[in-house]
Amino acid sequence: MFDTTYHRAASVADAAETAAKADDAAYLSGGQTLLPTMKQRLASPSDLVDLSQIAEMQGISVAGDTVTIGAGTPHADVAGSTDVQNAIPALAALAGNIGDPAVRARGTLGGSIANNDPAADYPAACLGLNATIVTNTRELAAADFFEGLFETALEEGEIVTAVRFPVPSRAAYAKFPNPASRYAMAGVMVAQTGDGVRVAVTGAGNDGVFRHEAMEAALGTNWSADALADVSTDADDMLSDMHGSAEYRAHLVGVMAKRAVESA
Amino acid sequence: MTKISMTVNDKAVSRDVPDNTLLVEFIRENLRLTGTHVGCDTSQCGACVVHVDGKAIKSCTTLAASVDGATVTTVEGLANGKELHPVQQAFKDNHGLQCGFCTPGMIMSATDMIARYQASGEELTEAAIRHELEGNICRCTGYHNIVKSIQDAAAKMANA
Ligand SMILES: Cc1cc2nc3c(=O)[nH]c(=O)nc-3n(C[C@H](O)[C@H](O)[C@H](O)COP(=O)(O)OP(=O)(O)OC[C@H]3O[C@@H](n4cnc5c(N)ncnc54)[C@H](O)[C@@H]3O)c2cc1C
Ligand code: FES
Ligand code: FES
């Protein structure tokens, strides 16, 4: 790992200010993506601004039909929260299947969505549940936040501080994990929301997380796995790599979507 | 350089280290506690698992500076003098190791999962143990005796 200068931020404002003063700063949350990347010398920030001790970015609250999760909340806390388990069980279950227990103890919601790995789980939850991403400067709909492979709408220095999830009437997430990495080969969040049926797919698309409109239309008229029998997924839009071809992933998306609907 | 202070295995320690020092380097190279192992450079094998403020984490994927002030337990901190911790004893009794390289991480993950399951009252089934061991790789045993060791330890700790 290259040299770097570590700063522990006390507040969101302090973090933004420290990062702005540095040459080439990176925010550090759980470090479960950034540190492996730095160890491989694929990233070499001059400064690390640690967000993990910022109290205002921690914790989970439920008010009315909205679950708000601080961006610094580790996956294990989301998985173990009785509030999340009661309000959006699909979200608690999704968080409980990210990586392994040690990754879940440190990795955070904010770090995961800021990174926007095309095989990460949380982007499917945010897009599928129509979440609002709250940053230190603005609020964005999930649909406007995720912009392709590892790309988001975040500006230089912008910090994700929380995510607001509207409570769906029902939802479920089904994931086919890569047996080695545990990241999704295909992960599908299906939800009946105030905004209609939403289907968000991660792990499979060649442009990152996406909404599956044909599935949404089919489930909108008939909420059942059978309704998906004739809905196809275009292999031209899928990732193809050593773990699976585009055709394989296109098929997997259909299988995961059916499993999700059956368990919702 | 940053001065890092922690409580490691009940002892207060403090060292000046470069900011990019990983917790596992701090533990092995500065504190000379070499029970914690490094088995990969991709954060996947779990040989480096230690407890930080009561939670099992990968010390190869944590900066020492980011846990400045924390309470850390490594595998060296489990035994009570010559008396092995029940999880260590169970690995010995059930042949839960062959070469032993993965064992420190297995034991730290096992003590963490047993504590979490016993606190929540949920049953630590064989399937749950296998799911919990997702982040701990063993190249020797085929896992069966590791799972048996954890079941044995959990049963003895429940009756303790
Ligand atoms: C072995 C292993 C298995 C994994 N398996 C899975 C899996 O199955 N599914 C899955 O989804 N993920 C998986 N992950 C990734 C894990 O969920 C990470 O925790 C997550 O992707 C990043 O979160 P973090 O808090 O660790 O972020 P960090 O690594 O600290 O940061 C990641 C990036 O986001 C930036 N950043 C961090 N926080 C913020 C913020 N609040 N605002 C703006 N930018 C920020 C950082 O600068 C950095 O660029 C796995 C990781 C490992 C090591
Ligand atoms: S050495 Fe930490 S996970 Fe392999
Ligand atoms: S006993 Fe050799 S790696 Fe597990």
Side-chain angles (χ1 to χ4, degrees):
Chain A
M1 196 190 294
F2 291 109
D3 280 347
T4 189
T5 304
Y6 173 87
H7 310 265
R8 189 178 280 191
S11 66
V12 172
D14 176 31
E17 212 173 293
T18 309
K21 276 196 234 143
D23 219 12
D24 176 25
Y27 293 120
L28 176 69
S29 284
Q32 301 302 293
T33 293
L34 184 54
L35 292 175
T37 314
M38 288 176 69
K39 280 162 60 175
Q40 290 175 44
R41 299 193 167 182
L42 296 172
S44 53
S46 65
D47 294 70
L48 284 176
V49 180
D50 189 350
L51 307 176
S52 66
Q53 316 273 330
I54 299 178
E56 61 194 297
M57 283 175 60
Q58 293 289 333
I60 296 164
S61 62
V62 183
D65 283 340
T66 307
V67 176
T68 304
I69 302 181
T73 311
H75 310 329
D77 291 10
V78 175
S81 155
T82 39
D83 281 343
V84 181
Q85 287 164 1
N86 291 335
I88 318 180
L91 183 60
L94 174 146
N97 273 311
I98 296 176
D100 59 59
V103 167
R104 294 195 287 275
R106 287 194 72 77
T108 68
L109 170 57
S112 175
I113 65 171
N115 191 52
N116 194 19
D117 189 310
D121 296 298
Y122 269 132
C126 293
L127 191 61
L129 298 171
N130 199 13
T132 302
I133 319 296
V134 184
T135 78
N136 58 331
T137 55
R138 57 188 169 147
E139 298 190 352
L140 288 135
D144 300 325
F145 181 85
F146 300 108
E147 295 186 339
L149 310 178
F150 298 101
E151 293 291 335
T152 68
L154 287 174
E155 307 276 356
E156 183 84 32
E158 190 171 357
I159 302 171
V160 179
T161 56
V163 180
R164 286 202 305 264
F165 293 93
V167 175
S169 40
R170 53 172 149 169
Y173 180 66
K175 162 182 177 179
F176 188 90
N178 177 312
S181 76
R182 314 314 292 170
Y183 276 95
M185 295 276 296
V188 182
M189 173 66 85
V190 298
Q192 288 180 336
T193 72
D195 183 50
V197 171
R198 293 175 71 102
V199 177
V201 179
T202 191
N206 62 13
D207 197 29
V209 67
F210 68 95
R211 280 177 71 178
H212 201 308
E213 275 143 30
M215 286 187 180
E216 291 179 354
L219 293 172
T221 46
N222 174 11
W223 179 268
S224 76
D226 289 343
L228 297 175
D230 298 325
V231 181
S232 64
T233 304
D234 192 347
D236 288 344
D237 299 333
M238 296 293 109
L239 283 168
S240 185
D241 57 23
M242 65 175 178
H243 304 300
S245 65
E247 291 71 26
Y248 176 71
R249 279 197 168 83
H251 179 70
L252 213 48
V253 169
V255 177
M256 289 304 111
K258 285 178 203 150
R259 282 192 196 165
V261 172
E262 275 163 2
S263 65
Chain B
M1 297 288 261
T2 302
K3 189 185 176 88
I4 309 284
S5 306
M6 296 177 203
T7 306
V8 178
N9 300 336
D10 293 329
K11 268 211 282 253
V13 297
S14 180
R15 297 282 190 283
D16 283 315
V17 295
D19 287 17
N20 64 359
T21 304
L22 296 166
L23 178 59
V24 72
E25 296 169 339
F26 186 78
I27 291 171
R28 288 179 56 87
E29 289 163 30
N30 296 93
L31 305 181
R32 296 283 168 186
L33 293 169
T34 53
T36 302
H37 291 170
V38 177
C40 73
D41 57 9
T42 51
S43 308
Q44 280 171 314
C45 77
C48 62
V49 170
V50 301
H51 298 177
V52 170
D53 294 331
K55 288 186 179 140
I57 60 124
K58 291 177 178 172
S59 60
C60 74
T61 312
T62 305
L63 280 187
S66 67
V67 293
D68 183 29
T71 299
V72 176
T73 307
T74 71
V75 72
E76 290 93 340
L78 290 182
N80 181 6
K82 286 213 155 34
E83 189 194 330
L84 293 180
H85 183 280
V87 175
Q88 292 173 310
Q89 187 62 47
F91 271 70
K92 185 164 182 251
D93 294 344
N94 294 279
H95 301 284
L97 60 145
Q98 287 178 21
C99 80
F101 194 84
C102 69
T103 313
M106 289 287 176
I107 288 182
M108 298 316 283
S109 290
T111 48
D112 171 74
M113 82 175 77
I114 293 171
R116 270 188 288 114
Y117 274 72
Q118 295 193 342
S120 74
E122 221 181 314
E123 193 193 344
L124 186 57
T125 59
E126 181 189 335
I129 294 172
R130 289 182 185 275
H131 178 65
E132 287 282 334
L133 286 180
E134 199 57 69
N136 292 84
I137 293 175
C138 175
R139 287 296 199 198
C140 303
T141 63
Y143 300 97
H144 290 312
N145 285 356
I146 292 175
V147 174
K148 246 169 75 185
S149 305
I150 298 173
Q151 284 175 308
D152 182 26
K156 289 189 174 134
M157 288 166 75
N159 300 330

